[in-house]
Amino acid sequence: MNKKSNHDDAAHVAPHIGKKEYKETLHALQIELVKLQRHFIKCNDRILVILEGRDGAGKDGTIKRIIQHLSPRETRVVALGRPSDRDRGTWYFQRYVPHLPACQEFVLFNRSWYNRAGVERVMGFCSEADYDEFMETVPDFEHMLVRSGIKLFKYYLDISQAEQKKRLQDRRKDPLKQWKMSPIDAEALKHWAGYSQARNEMFARTHTLSAPWTVVRADNKEVARINLIKDLLMRLHYDGKDRDLVLPNPEVVFAYDEAHLTSGMLAK
């Protein structure tokens, strides 16, 4: 059993990038992001990026680098807390709708409505009926968003069990990261297999033509950040794009495919 787990973790290792190359590449990509923002403001575009992944997958750090040099007036990060009693008595998507992007806005969801497919499912925070209704209706909801003109991108940051354990331990030791700690963190490793199954079901039922999932292998934070930004820039049109710069590594960022469940491209 341990031998299989070690093999899976080894298959999940991402390429390395040196500090100097990382800083230089990130700076160049942030210039491209500013070009992109200038373009979508001019064209009245609406961009929505969803970042999902296990606790410790690197969502916060990735978002921080994306928005670092963007105009705060047209850039928003949405990270909703637990639903209120009123939220629980409304249509599930209702609390998310007010945060969708208007014209000229770039919105990033640090976790999203997919909480229902992940933590709520695994931790028993929703009923089976609520879960089934969500899984059946979310493709239609996202299709409506895309048909309305929103450019929707769904990224899942995937890390190995060993890397998650290391990052959660580091959080507990770092006084500057105490705000990231939550009771759910303590349960994350205990429920590793449950989260894997929930992830696989989420991919299988919500990976659609209009709103596909893109997987980012995130054991190396710097490599993951660089390649996610490259992928986003590559898929959006804007003037003055440096096409050679924005080509992502297909071993790090790739469209979800059922074959990845057994190929070692996803953490077991």
Side-chain angles (χ1 to χ4, degrees):
M1 187 73 177
N2 290 336
K3 187 175 181 180
K4 183 179 186 298
S5 177
N6 291 339
H7 172 75
D8 292 338
D9 284 350
H12 199 253
V13 172
H16 178 72
I17 186 170
K19 288 185 178 180
K20 184 173 185 291
E21 182 185 357
Y22 168 68
K23 289 181 179 179
E24 291 176 350
T25 305
L26 178 61
H27 179 72
L29 290 172
Q30 288 173 332
I31 292 174
E32 294 294 305
L33 285 166
V34 172
K35 292 181 190 177
L36 169 65
Q37 187 167 55
R38 188 185 306 126
H39 180 88
F40 71 68
I41 288 174
K42 180 176 67 175
C43 298
N44 287 325
D45 286 341
R46 293 176 288 160
I47 299 175
L48 176 60
V49 176
I50 288 174
L51 277 83
E52 292 288 341
R54 300 176 195 261
D55 292 319
K59 298 178 291 296
D60 294 323
T62 300
I63 290 172
K64 179 180 177 180
R65 274 68 181 187
I66 292 173
I67 70 171
Q68 191 170 5
H69 297 289
L70 297 181
S71 166
R73 184 174 298 149
E74 289 85 13
T75 308
R76 289 190 290 114
V77 177
V78 179
L80 300 183
R82 65 176 61 185
S84 66
D85 289 341
R86 183 183 185 281
D87 290 330
R88 284 190 282 269
T90 63
W91 178 48
Y92 178 71
F93 296 103
Q94 189 165 324
R95 67 192 296 247
Y96 297 97
V97 169
H99 302 283
L100 295 174
C103 289
Q104 304 184 354
E105 282 191 334
F106 181 25
V107 175
L108 299 101
F109 274 38
N110 185 347
R111 295 195 185 275
S112 65
W113 42 82
Y114 282 103
N115 274 339
R116 177 137 294 176
V119 64
E120 290 189 18
R121 167 69 161 171
V122 175
M123 302 303 296
F125 296 158
C126 69
S127 68
E128 282 293 320
D130 289 339
Y131 172 78
D132 288 336
E133 181 183 3
F134 169 79
M135 296 295 268
E136 290 175 10
T137 59
V138 68
D140 292 333
F141 174 69
E142 291 176 346
H143 184 63
M144 284 192 294
L145 298 185
V146 173
R147 284 197 62 182
S148 77
I150 291 176
K151 292 178 168 62
L152 173 61
F153 300 90
K154 302 191 305 191
Y155 289 100
Y156 184 90
L157 277 63
D158 195 52
I159 57 172
S160 64
Q161 188 172 15
E163 183 63 22
Q164 185 188 48
K165 182 177 180 180
K166 176 181 177 297
R167 292 183 187 181
L168 294 182
Q169 288 174 341
D170 289 344
R171 276 186 190 178
R172 287 192 284 271
K173 297 175 184 176
D174 190 340
L176 296 179
K177 294 183 179 179
Q178 294 301 301
W179 62 272
K180 291 188 174 185
M181 296 299 298
S182 74
I184 298 297
D185 286 349
E187 302 295 320
L189 289 169
K190 295 180 186 177
H191 294 276
W192 177 269
Y195 275 108
S196 293
Q197 182 178 350
R199 175 203 62 190
N200 297 347
E201 291 177 7
M202 178 186 76
F203 284 155
R205 298 180 65 178
T206 67
H207 178 72
T208 62
L209 286 175
S210 58
W213 278 103
T214 300
V215 179
V216 183
R217 299 173 76 184
D219 270 11
N220 185 304
K221 291 180 180 180
E222 290 78 14
V223 170
R225 293 167 188 164
I226 290 294
N227 280 278
L228 188 153
I229 296 172
K230 285 184 175 185
D231 184 80
L232 181 63
L233 290 166
M234 182 189 69
R235 293 162 65 185
L236 285 164
H237 172 74
Y238 61 95
D239 296 330
K241 181 186 294 189
D242 185 338
R243 297 190 177 277
D244 292 332
L245 175 66
V246 302
L247 286 175
N249 183 338
E251 291 292 312
V252 178
V253 181
F254 48 90
Y256 165 75
D257 187 283
E258 186 179 358
H260 295 143
L261 299 177
T262 55
S263 68
M265 293 293 280
L266 288 168
K268 295 290 187 180

